[in-house]
Amino acid sequence: MAPKKAKRRQQAEGGSSNVFSMFEQSQIQEYKEAFTIIDQNRDGIISKDDLRDVLASMGQLNVKNEELEAMIKEASGPINFTVFLTMFGEKLKGADPEDVIVSAFKVLDPEGTGSIKKQFLEELLTTQCDRFSAEEMKNLWAAFPPDVAGNVDYKNICYVITHGEEKEE
């Protein structure tokens, strides 16, 4: 019985702690703050009830049980802070390096301004390959609003994709 208990404990602890080396200290602190907000009952584990409560506090009152269960099942075990951080690390690890993503955008920016027109980017994202929905476009513009001239700072988008936070200017 002891090996099972040890295995469960390792899962609850999130395995190895090298996940902390994937992030800068400021990023870890931000993730810790987010974890604390989500862990509504402050027991150190994010549960379905915690998710329901935090979503309700943000105005999403009719979240289905199946949706909450699907969120919880993304983790291999109980979601403590280490598992939470690992989940973000895994999501970010799948992204290409920042310079590769910036190079892809530069193809669309022959003048090298660091920005592209909102209308042009929206047309590409809604008509090519894995097309964005209207909701995804709305979310994109909410996260990365264009300037008054309708330009989108693609270098900032690339930074957020690879680092998970906006650059401090």
Side-chain angles (χ1 to χ4, degrees), residues 129-144:
C129 298
D130 190 12
R131 297 180 176 127
F132 276 40
S133 68
E135 181 72 18
E136 288 170 321
M137 290 310 305
K138 181 181 164 192
N139 292 340
L140 176 66
W141 302 138
F144 304 102

Side-chain angles (χ1 to χ4, degrees), residues 63-83:
V63 182
K64 295 179 182 159
N65 245 355
E66 297 80 37
E67 292 176 274
L68 296 170
E69 287 170 11
M71 289 180 207
I72 294 294
K73 285 181 182 173
E74 285 190 39
S76 59
I79 306 173
N80 64 13
F81 180 65
T82 305
V83 171

Side-chain angles (χ1 to χ4, degrees), residues 33-118:
E33 289 170 17
F35 179 86
T36 302
I37 291 168
I38 298 168
D39 182 19
Q40 293 280 297
N41 64 5
R42 305 291 186 258
D43 66 352
I45 303 289
I46 295 176
S47 66
K48 193 167 58 168
D49 289 335
D50 290 328
L51 290 176
R52 184 184 320 281
D53 292 346
V54 78
L55 288 168
S57 74
M58 296 187 310
Q60 294 188 11
L61 302 174
N62 297 322
V63 182
K64 295 179 182 159
N65 245 355
E66 297 80 37
E67 292 176 274
L68 296 170
E69 287 170 11
M71 289 180 207
I72 294 294
K73 285 181 182 173
E74 285 190 39
S76 59
I79 306 173
N80 64 13
F81 180 65
T82 305
V83 171
F84 182 77
L85 197 60
T86 301
M87 291 171 75
F88 276 97
E90 288 170 355
K91 297 283 184 193
L92 292 174
K93 189 168 48 175
D96 287 321
E98 184 176 2
D99 63 324
V100 172
I101 301 171
V102 169
S103 294
F105 273 106
K106 282 184 179 177
V107 171
L108 308 172
D109 178 25
E111 284 84 42
T113 62
S115 64
I116 53 180
K117 290 289 183 189
K118 172 192 176 203

